[in-house]
Structure formats: structure tokens, C-alpha cells
Amino acid sequence: MFYSGGQRDAGQILMDQANNMNRKKRDTLVRMTELARDIRDSLIRGSIDDMGLILDESWRLKKSLSSRISRGQIDDLYETAMRNGALGGKLLGAGDSGFLLFY
């Protein structure tokens, strides 16, 4: 877990997500829910590395919900972690700043 620094107004980010909602984004939310179940299943099976790959897919889907979820600094930190051995991760919370979780 890595603290990216900064604070944000989660309500603004969540409002932007709600305002952008359409059929494709609803499908994205459904897929993200499925991925949460996939992580649970991979942990039960003991396939821990799968968790990293699932986190990566989930993060990429989350970013597609709103342009306010990530920003250059967050993307740079994420890519640095991936280049240095992380299999996946995601920004916790609504987005924009806070804690990045990597595996």
C-alpha cells in the first residue's frame, strides 16, 4: 500500500461518475462486481497471483468511469509499480488521490 498524498472531494468524483452513467458504464460496473467475486475465488483457490491481474483489470475499468478518478501523478505511480514487479493494483476510494494498493 502506498500513500500518493493529497486529499480530494469524493462527492465531486462520485457525482461526475453518476452524471456520466450510460449503458456501457453500467456494464463496466457489473464487470467490476464480477471481478470482486473472481478475487474472492482466486484467494480461496490459493491462486494469489491471479489477484494482481484481477486488480489491474478492475483499476483500468474504474478509470473508465470518470476522467476525475485518476490523474497524471497517479498514473505515473501505477506504471512505476507495474514496471517494478507489481502484477496489479488500484487506487482505493473514489479516486484522484489517497492510497494505491499493489500486489
Side-chain angles (χ1 to χ4, degrees):
M1 189 176 295
F2 177 81
Y3 181 57
S4 70
Q7 296 181 8
R8 51 53 184 131
D9 180 352
Q12 294 280 335
I13 296 167
L14 295 172
M15 186 181 312
D16 188 55
Q17 286 180 27
N19 290 339
N20 292 335
M21 196 53 57
N22 59 33
R23 176 72 180 163
K24 182 178 181 198
K25 299 213 189 255
R26 281 187 206 95
D27 291 345
T28 297
L29 290 173
V30 168
R31 177 65 183 140
M32 290 171 69
T33 302
E34 292 169 350
L35 289 172
R37 291 184 188 111
D38 291 348
I39 285 179
R40 178 202 60 205
D41 294 345
S42 72
L43 291 173
I44 290 169
R45 285 191 315 271
S47 302
I48 305 299
D49 286 350
D50 289 349
M51 180 180 68
L53 302 173
I54 296 166
L55 281 171
D56 182 59
E57 182 179 351
S58 178
W59 170 239
R60 294 178 192 284
L61 289 170
K62 181 175 180 172
K63 283 180 26 171
S64 75
L65 296 174
S66 167
S67 62
R68 297 184 68 160
I69 288 177
S70 190
R71 54 189 163 91
Q73 177 193 14
I74 299 297
D75 291 337
D76 291 345
L77 291 168
Y78 189 89
E79 292 307 317
T80 297
M82 295 296 283
R83 280 193 310 274
N84 286 282
L87 294 178
K90 65 179 292 186
L91 184 64
L92 304 177
D96 185 51
S97 63
F99 288 91
L100 285 153
L101 174 71
F102 294 105
Y103 175 80

